Short mmCIF file of all heavy atoms in Angstrom, two decimals:
data_model
loop_
_atom_site.label_atom_id
_atom_site.label_comp_id
_atom_site.label_asym_id
_atom_site.label_seq_id
_atom_site.Cartn_x
_atom_site.Cartn_y
_atom_site.Cartn_z
N SER Z 6 -8.02 -1.01 -11.92
CA SER Z 6 -9.26 -1.50 -11.43
C SER Z 6 -9.69 -0.73 -10.06
O SER Z 6 -10.98 -0.86 -9.64
CB SER Z 6 -9.09 -2.99 -11.03
OG SER Z 6 -7.99 -3.19 -10.02
N VAL Z 7 -8.97 0.06 -9.47
CA VAL Z 7 -9.27 0.72 -8.25
C VAL Z 7 -9.24 2.27 -8.43
O VAL Z 7 -9.61 3.07 -7.49
CB VAL Z 7 -8.36 0.34 -7.09
CG1 VAL Z 7 -8.29 -1.11 -6.96
CG2 VAL Z 7 -6.92 0.90 -7.27
N LYS Z 8 -8.82 2.74 -9.56
CA LYS Z 8 -8.80 4.20 -9.74
C LYS Z 8 -10.21 4.83 -9.58
O LYS Z 8 -11.12 4.41 -10.08
CB LYS Z 8 -8.28 4.56 -11.25
CG LYS Z 8 -6.82 4.26 -11.39
CD LYS Z 8 -6.40 4.68 -12.77
CE LYS Z 8 -4.87 4.48 -13.06
NZ LYS Z 8 -4.42 4.79 -14.31
N GLY Z 9 -10.17 5.94 -8.83
CA GLY Z 9 -11.40 6.63 -8.62
C GLY Z 9 -12.16 6.04 -7.33
O GLY Z 9 -13.09 6.73 -6.92
N ARG Z 10 -11.69 5.05 -6.90
CA ARG Z 10 -12.40 4.39 -5.66
C ARG Z 10 -11.40 4.26 -4.49
O ARG Z 10 -11.99 4.49 -3.32
CB ARG Z 10 -12.88 2.98 -5.92
CG ARG Z 10 -13.88 2.97 -7.11
CD ARG Z 10 -14.50 1.50 -7.33
NE ARG Z 10 -13.52 0.50 -7.60
CZ ARG Z 10 -13.19 -0.57 -6.89
NH1 ARG Z 10 -13.85 -0.78 -5.66
NH2 ARG Z 10 -12.23 -1.47 -7.19
N PHE Z 11 -10.11 4.09 -4.71
CA PHE Z 11 -9.12 3.97 -3.65
C PHE Z 11 -8.31 5.14 -3.59
O PHE Z 11 -7.86 5.81 -4.64
CB PHE Z 11 -8.34 2.69 -3.87
CG PHE Z 11 -9.07 1.34 -3.59
CD1 PHE Z 11 -10.42 1.33 -3.49
CD2 PHE Z 11 -8.23 0.24 -3.50
CE1 PHE Z 11 -11.00 0.11 -3.32
CE2 PHE Z 11 -8.89 -1.00 -3.33
CZ PHE Z 11 -10.26 -1.07 -3.22
N THR Z 12 -7.85 5.50 -2.42
CA THR Z 12 -6.83 6.64 -2.30
C THR Z 12 -5.78 6.16 -1.24
O THR Z 12 -6.03 5.82 -0.18
CB THR Z 12 -7.62 7.91 -1.72
OG1 THR Z 12 -8.63 8.24 -2.58
CG2 THR Z 12 -6.59 9.05 -1.65
N ILE Z 13 -4.53 6.33 -1.76
CA ILE Z 13 -3.40 6.02 -0.93
C ILE Z 13 -2.76 7.37 -0.32
O ILE Z 13 -2.62 8.37 -1.12
CB ILE Z 13 -2.29 5.17 -1.62
CG1 ILE Z 13 -1.21 4.62 -0.69
CG2 ILE Z 13 -1.74 5.98 -2.81
CD1 ILE Z 13 -0.33 3.64 -1.31
N SER Z 14 -2.41 7.31 0.89
CA SER Z 14 -1.75 8.52 1.47
C SER Z 14 -0.68 8.00 2.44
O SER Z 14 -0.67 6.86 2.86
CB SER Z 14 -2.74 9.45 2.06
OG SER Z 14 -3.48 8.72 3.12
N ARG Z 15 0.19 8.98 2.96
CA ARG Z 15 1.09 8.59 3.93
C ARG Z 15 1.44 9.78 4.88
O ARG Z 15 1.22 10.83 4.51
CB ARG Z 15 2.45 8.07 3.28
CG ARG Z 15 3.18 9.14 2.47
CD ARG Z 15 4.35 8.55 1.69
NE ARG Z 15 5.41 8.18 2.59
CZ ARG Z 15 6.34 7.31 2.29
NH1 ARG Z 15 6.51 6.83 1.11
NH2 ARG Z 15 7.29 6.96 3.20
N ASP Z 16 1.97 9.34 5.95
CA ASP Z 16 2.43 10.22 7.04
C ASP Z 16 3.93 9.93 7.16
O ASP Z 16 4.30 8.97 7.77
CB ASP Z 16 1.69 10.14 8.30
CG ASP Z 16 2.09 11.15 9.37
OD1 ASP Z 16 3.21 11.66 9.34
OD2 ASP Z 16 1.29 11.43 10.27
N ASN Z 17 4.69 10.80 6.62
CA ASN Z 17 6.22 10.53 6.59
C ASN Z 17 6.82 10.56 7.99
O ASN Z 17 7.69 9.86 8.31
CB ASN Z 17 6.88 11.57 5.71
CG ASN Z 17 6.69 11.39 4.23
OD1 ASN Z 17 6.21 10.25 3.91
ND2 ASN Z 17 6.99 12.29 3.44
N ALA Z 18 6.27 11.39 8.92
CA ALA Z 18 6.77 11.55 10.23
C ALA Z 18 6.54 10.22 11.01
O ALA Z 18 7.33 9.83 11.90
CB ALA Z 18 6.20 12.71 11.01
N LYS Z 19 5.51 9.54 10.67
CA LYS Z 19 5.17 8.26 11.38
C LYS Z 19 5.50 7.06 10.53
O LYS Z 19 5.28 5.89 11.04
CB LYS Z 19 3.71 8.17 11.73
CG LYS Z 19 3.23 9.39 12.64
CD LYS Z 19 1.70 9.22 12.96
CE LYS Z 19 1.24 10.29 13.90
NZ LYS Z 19 -0.19 10.27 14.14
N ASN Z 20 6.03 7.23 9.36
CA ASN Z 20 6.27 6.07 8.41
C ASN Z 20 5.05 5.25 8.30
O ASN Z 20 5.12 4.04 8.34
CB ASN Z 20 7.47 5.36 8.85
CG ASN Z 20 8.79 6.04 8.58
OD1 ASN Z 20 9.01 6.62 7.51
ND2 ASN Z 20 9.68 6.06 9.49
N THR Z 21 3.89 5.94 8.06
CA THR Z 21 2.68 5.13 7.99
C THR Z 21 2.01 5.40 6.69
O THR Z 21 1.98 6.59 6.18
CB THR Z 21 1.69 5.53 9.19
OG1 THR Z 21 2.39 5.27 10.46
CG2 THR Z 21 0.28 4.85 9.05
N VAL Z 22 1.44 4.37 6.10
CA VAL Z 22 0.69 4.48 4.81
C VAL Z 22 -0.73 4.06 5.11
O VAL Z 22 -1.02 3.16 5.86
CB VAL Z 22 1.36 3.61 3.72
CG1 VAL Z 22 1.39 2.15 4.02
CG2 VAL Z 22 0.81 3.90 2.37
N TYR Z 23 -1.65 4.64 4.31
CA TYR Z 23 -3.07 4.35 4.50
C TYR Z 23 -3.63 4.09 3.11
O TYR Z 23 -3.19 4.52 2.04
CB TYR Z 23 -3.80 5.60 4.99
CG TYR Z 23 -3.30 6.04 6.33
CD1 TYR Z 23 -2.28 7.13 6.30
CD2 TYR Z 23 -3.71 5.72 7.51
CE1 TYR Z 23 -1.78 7.59 7.43
CE2 TYR Z 23 -3.12 6.09 8.67
CZ TYR Z 23 -2.24 7.10 8.71
OH TYR Z 23 -1.64 7.58 9.92
N LEU Z 24 -4.67 3.33 3.17
CA LEU Z 24 -5.43 3.07 1.96
C LEU Z 24 -6.90 3.21 2.23
O LEU Z 24 -7.49 2.36 2.95
CB LEU Z 24 -5.15 1.57 1.36
CG LEU Z 24 -5.86 1.30 0.09
CD1 LEU Z 24 -5.20 2.14 -1.12
CD2 LEU Z 24 -5.61 -0.35 -0.29
N GLN Z 25 -7.53 4.23 1.75
CA GLN Z 25 -8.93 4.41 1.90
C GLN Z 25 -9.61 3.81 0.70
O GLN Z 25 -9.28 4.16 -0.47
CB GLN Z 25 -9.26 5.92 1.80
CG GLN Z 25 -10.72 6.28 1.90
CD GLN Z 25 -11.32 5.85 3.25
OE1 GLN Z 25 -10.71 6.21 4.36
NE2 GLN Z 25 -12.43 5.26 3.21
N MET Z 26 -10.52 2.90 0.96
CA MET Z 26 -11.22 2.08 -0.01
C MET Z 26 -12.68 2.42 -0.02
O MET Z 26 -13.39 2.16 0.99
CB MET Z 26 -10.96 0.60 0.19
CG MET Z 26 -9.49 0.24 0.19
SD MET Z 26 -9.32 -1.57 0.27
CE MET Z 26 -9.80 -1.85 2.02
N ASN Z 27 -13.27 2.96 -1.05
CA ASN Z 27 -14.61 3.30 -1.17
C ASN Z 27 -15.18 2.50 -2.24
O ASN Z 27 -14.53 2.02 -3.21
CB ASN Z 27 -14.81 4.84 -1.46
CG ASN Z 27 -14.19 5.66 -0.25
OD1 ASN Z 27 -14.25 5.27 0.82
ND2 ASN Z 27 -13.68 6.79 -0.70
N SER Z 28 -16.57 2.52 -2.35
CA SER Z 28 -17.30 1.78 -3.39
C SER Z 28 -16.80 0.41 -3.55
O SER Z 28 -16.53 -0.01 -4.72
CB SER Z 28 -17.23 2.57 -4.64
OG SER Z 28 -17.83 3.94 -4.47
N LEU Z 29 -16.60 -0.39 -2.50
CA LEU Z 29 -15.97 -1.65 -2.67
C LEU Z 29 -16.92 -2.70 -3.28
O LEU Z 29 -18.12 -2.65 -3.26
CB LEU Z 29 -15.74 -2.22 -1.21
CG LEU Z 29 -14.49 -1.63 -0.53
CD1 LEU Z 29 -14.46 -1.86 1.01
CD2 LEU Z 29 -13.25 -2.08 -1.16
N LYS Z 30 -16.15 -3.49 -4.14
CA LYS Z 30 -16.80 -4.57 -4.89
C LYS Z 30 -16.50 -5.89 -4.43
O LYS Z 30 -15.33 -6.09 -3.87
CB LYS Z 30 -16.50 -4.36 -6.37
CG LYS Z 30 -16.67 -2.96 -6.90
CD LYS Z 30 -16.18 -2.88 -8.39
CE LYS Z 30 -16.51 -1.53 -9.03
NZ LYS Z 30 -16.05 -1.35 -10.38
N PRO Z 31 -17.22 -6.86 -4.66
CA PRO Z 31 -16.76 -8.26 -4.32
C PRO Z 31 -15.44 -8.66 -4.87
O PRO Z 31 -14.72 -9.35 -4.21
CB PRO Z 31 -17.93 -9.13 -4.89
CG PRO Z 31 -19.17 -8.26 -4.89
CD PRO Z 31 -18.64 -6.87 -5.27
N GLU Z 32 -15.03 -8.23 -6.08
CA GLU Z 32 -13.86 -8.55 -6.67
C GLU Z 32 -12.61 -7.93 -5.92
O GLU Z 32 -11.46 -8.17 -6.18
CB GLU Z 32 -13.87 -8.19 -8.13
CG GLU Z 32 -14.27 -6.75 -8.45
CD GLU Z 32 -15.73 -6.78 -8.98
OE1 GLU Z 32 -16.56 -7.34 -8.29
OE2 GLU Z 32 -15.97 -6.10 -9.96
N ASP Z 33 -12.89 -7.06 -4.95
CA ASP Z 33 -11.84 -6.40 -4.04
C ASP Z 33 -11.52 -7.37 -2.97
O ASP Z 33 -10.51 -7.04 -2.37
CB ASP Z 33 -12.31 -5.13 -3.59
CG ASP Z 33 -12.51 -4.03 -4.65
OD1 ASP Z 33 -11.76 -3.93 -5.58
OD2 ASP Z 33 -13.48 -3.24 -4.59
N THR Z 34 -12.22 -8.40 -2.80
CA THR Z 34 -12.01 -9.30 -1.75
C THR Z 34 -10.52 -9.92 -1.93
O THR Z 34 -10.26 -10.51 -3.02
CB THR Z 34 -12.99 -10.51 -1.77
OG1 THR Z 34 -14.27 -9.87 -1.41
CG2 THR Z 34 -12.68 -11.47 -0.68
N ALA Z 35 -9.77 -9.78 -0.97
CA ALA Z 35 -8.34 -10.37 -1.04
C ALA Z 35 -7.75 -10.15 0.29
O ALA Z 35 -8.21 -9.51 1.16
CB ALA Z 35 -7.63 -9.71 -2.15
N VAL Z 36 -6.37 -10.72 0.34
CA VAL Z 36 -5.59 -10.38 1.49
C VAL Z 36 -4.71 -9.20 1.00
O VAL Z 36 -4.11 -9.30 -0.09
CB VAL Z 36 -4.70 -11.53 1.93
CG1 VAL Z 36 -3.70 -11.17 2.93
CG2 VAL Z 36 -5.50 -12.73 2.36
N TYR Z 37 -4.74 -8.16 1.73
CA TYR Z 37 -3.93 -7.02 1.46
C TYR Z 37 -2.69 -6.87 2.21
O TYR Z 37 -2.63 -6.98 3.45
CB TYR Z 37 -4.73 -5.66 1.65
CG TYR Z 37 -5.95 -5.46 0.67
CD1 TYR Z 37 -7.01 -6.35 0.61
CD2 TYR Z 37 -5.81 -4.53 -0.28
CE1 TYR Z 37 -7.99 -6.16 -0.38
CE2 TYR Z 37 -6.80 -4.27 -1.27
CZ TYR Z 37 -7.77 -5.12 -1.34
OH TYR Z 37 -8.86 -4.91 -2.25
N TYR Z 38 -1.62 -6.65 1.50
CA TYR Z 38 -0.19 -6.60 2.05
C TYR Z 38 0.37 -5.22 1.90
O TYR Z 38 0.35 -4.65 0.77
CB TYR Z 38 0.68 -7.64 1.39
CG TYR Z 38 0.27 -9.06 1.58
CD1 TYR Z 38 -0.53 -9.64 0.66
CD2 TYR Z 38 0.63 -9.83 2.75
CE1 TYR Z 38 -1.00 -10.95 0.82
CE2 TYR Z 38 0.24 -11.10 2.82
CZ TYR Z 38 -0.47 -11.70 1.94
OH TYR Z 38 -0.93 -13.01 2.12
N CYS Z 39 0.95 -4.71 2.94
CA CYS Z 39 1.69 -3.52 2.95
C CYS Z 39 3.16 -3.73 2.56
O CYS Z 39 3.74 -4.80 2.97
CB CYS Z 39 1.71 -2.79 4.37
SG CYS Z 39 2.56 -1.28 4.53
N ASN Z 40 3.74 -2.91 1.77
CA ASN Z 40 5.15 -3.15 1.27
C ASN Z 40 5.91 -1.76 1.60
O ASN Z 40 5.46 -0.72 1.23
CB ASN Z 40 5.21 -3.39 -0.02
CG ASN Z 40 6.55 -3.41 -0.72
OD1 ASN Z 40 6.98 -2.46 -1.26
ND2 ASN Z 40 7.31 -4.50 -0.66
N LEU Z 41 7.09 -1.93 2.04
CA LEU Z 41 8.06 -0.85 2.16
C LEU Z 41 9.27 -1.16 1.26
O LEU Z 41 9.93 -2.16 1.54
CB LEU Z 41 8.42 -0.55 3.61
CG LEU Z 41 9.61 0.37 3.86
CD1 LEU Z 41 9.20 1.82 3.48
CD2 LEU Z 41 10.00 0.34 5.32
N ARG Z 42 9.63 -0.29 0.42
CA ARG Z 42 10.81 -0.53 -0.37
C ARG Z 42 11.83 0.69 -0.21
O ARG Z 42 11.47 1.72 -0.28
CB ARG Z 42 10.45 -0.48 -1.91
CG ARG Z 42 11.54 -0.75 -2.89
CD ARG Z 42 11.03 -0.97 -4.26
NE ARG Z 42 10.46 -2.28 -4.32
CZ ARG Z 42 9.77 -2.78 -5.39
NH1 ARG Z 42 9.58 -2.08 -6.47
NH2 ARG Z 42 9.22 -4.06 -5.33
N MET Z 43 13.12 0.23 0.07
CA MET Z 43 14.17 1.24 0.16
C MET Z 43 15.38 0.87 -0.70
O MET Z 43 15.59 -0.31 -1.06
CB MET Z 43 14.72 1.20 1.65
CG MET Z 43 13.58 1.65 2.69
SD MET Z 43 14.35 1.82 4.34
CE MET Z 43 14.78 0.11 4.81
N TYR Z 44 16.02 1.85 -1.03
CA TYR Z 44 17.25 1.75 -1.87
C TYR Z 44 18.47 2.15 -1.03
O TYR Z 44 18.65 3.24 -0.84
CB TYR Z 44 17.19 2.43 -3.23
CG TYR Z 44 16.04 2.04 -4.03
CD1 TYR Z 44 14.75 2.60 -3.89
CD2 TYR Z 44 16.22 1.04 -5.03
CE1 TYR Z 44 13.64 2.22 -4.65
CE2 TYR Z 44 15.14 0.68 -5.84
CZ TYR Z 44 13.93 1.22 -5.64
OH TYR Z 44 12.84 0.84 -6.43
N LEU Z 45 19.33 1.13 -0.66
CA LEU Z 45 20.56 1.36 0.16
C LEU Z 45 21.67 0.74 -0.62
O LEU Z 45 22.34 -0.18 -0.03
CB LEU Z 45 20.40 0.79 1.61
CG LEU Z 45 19.27 1.51 2.37
CD1 LEU Z 45 19.09 0.72 3.72
CD2 LEU Z 45 19.61 2.95 2.59
N GLY Z 46 21.91 1.11 -1.74
CA GLY Z 46 22.91 0.48 -2.60
C GLY Z 46 22.21 -0.63 -3.41
O GLY Z 46 22.38 -0.77 -4.69
N SER Z 47 21.42 -1.50 -2.72
CA SER Z 47 20.54 -2.45 -3.27
C SER Z 47 19.05 -2.19 -2.94
O SER Z 47 18.84 -1.30 -2.02
CB SER Z 47 21.00 -3.90 -2.80
OG SER Z 47 22.23 -4.22 -3.27
N ARG Z 48 18.16 -2.86 -3.55
CA ARG Z 48 16.80 -2.70 -3.19
C ARG Z 48 16.37 -3.62 -2.09
O ARG Z 48 16.73 -4.79 -2.14
CB ARG Z 48 15.85 -2.95 -4.50
CG ARG Z 48 14.47 -2.59 -4.18
CD ARG Z 48 13.58 -3.00 -5.52
NE ARG Z 48 13.45 -4.38 -5.55
CZ ARG Z 48 12.79 -5.09 -6.57
NH1 ARG Z 48 12.45 -4.33 -7.66
NH2 ARG Z 48 12.67 -6.30 -6.56
N TYR Z 49 15.66 -3.06 -1.14
CA TYR Z 49 15.14 -3.95 0.03
C TYR Z 49 13.63 -3.76 0.06
O TYR Z 49 13.07 -2.70 0.21
CB TYR Z 49 15.85 -3.38 1.35
CG TYR Z 49 17.29 -3.70 1.39
CD1 TYR Z 49 18.15 -2.70 0.85
CD2 TYR Z 49 17.72 -4.87 1.85
CE1 TYR Z 49 19.51 -2.96 0.97
CE2 TYR Z 49 19.20 -5.11 1.84
CZ TYR Z 49 20.08 -4.10 1.36
OH TYR Z 49 21.41 -4.42 1.42
N ASP Z 50 13.02 -4.88 0.27
CA ASP Z 50 11.51 -4.94 0.42
C ASP Z 50 11.15 -5.54 1.70
O ASP Z 50 11.69 -6.69 2.07
CB ASP Z 50 10.92 -5.71 -0.79
CG ASP Z 50 10.83 -4.95 -2.06
OD1 ASP Z 50 10.01 -4.07 -2.18
OD2 ASP Z 50 11.70 -5.27 -2.99
N TYR Z 51 10.24 -4.89 2.36
CA TYR Z 51 9.72 -5.41 3.65
C TYR Z 51 8.16 -5.50 3.51
O TYR Z 51 7.48 -4.64 2.85
CB TYR Z 51 10.09 -4.53 4.81
CG TYR Z 51 11.57 -4.35 4.93
CD1 TYR Z 51 12.30 -3.35 4.23
CD2 TYR Z 51 12.28 -5.29 5.69
CE1 TYR Z 51 13.64 -3.22 4.42
CE2 TYR Z 51 13.74 -5.10 5.75
CZ TYR Z 51 14.38 -4.14 5.17
OH TYR Z 51 15.69 -3.99 5.17
N TRP Z 52 7.67 -6.55 4.17
CA TRP Z 52 6.18 -6.85 4.08
C TRP Z 52 5.48 -6.98 5.37
O TRP Z 52 6.05 -7.41 6.25
CB TRP Z 52 6.05 -8.16 3.20
CG TRP Z 52 6.50 -8.13 1.88
CD1 TRP Z 52 7.71 -8.45 1.39
CD2 TRP Z 52 5.74 -7.71 0.72
NE1 TRP Z 52 7.83 -8.21 -0.02
CE2 TRP Z 52 6.61 -7.85 -0.50
CE3 TRP Z 52 4.38 -7.37 0.53
CZ2 TRP Z 52 6.16 -7.55 -1.75
CZ3 TRP Z 52 4.07 -7.03 -0.79
CH2 TRP Z 52 4.83 -7.12 -1.87
N GLY Z 53 4.23 -6.52 5.34
CA GLY Z 53 3.38 -6.78 6.42
C GLY Z 53 2.84 -8.09 6.50
O GLY Z 53 3.08 -8.89 5.59
#
């Protein structure tokens, strides 16, 4: 639903992720959550 409109990128040095959203539509309305996933023997998920 967002291909061609949204672009995700990251800065590894800052551990920062970005989401550029263009051509926004009413159906894009939502609460957006950031997720970080790591594997340290087990999977760990962290949320904004």
Side-chain angles (χ1 to χ4, degrees):
S6 60
V7 306
K8 286 181 179 178
R10 300 189 298 120
F11 291 10
T12 302
I13 189 170
S14 61
R15 64 184 292 165
D16 184 334
N17 288 344
K19 298 180 179 179
N20 285 316
T21 299
V22 63
Y23 307 92
L24 185 67
Q25 178 66 46
M26 303 183 292
N27 299 325
S28 302
L29 283 162
K30 304 174 180 179
E32 50 262 47
D33 294 318
T34 296
V36 177
Y37 284 70
Y38 297 93
C39 177
N40 171 266
L41 171 67
R42 177 171 293 174
M43 298 187 293
Y44 298 89
L45 299 172
S47 298
R48 188 183 74 186
Y49 295 89
D50 284 285
Y51 301 90
W52 296 90

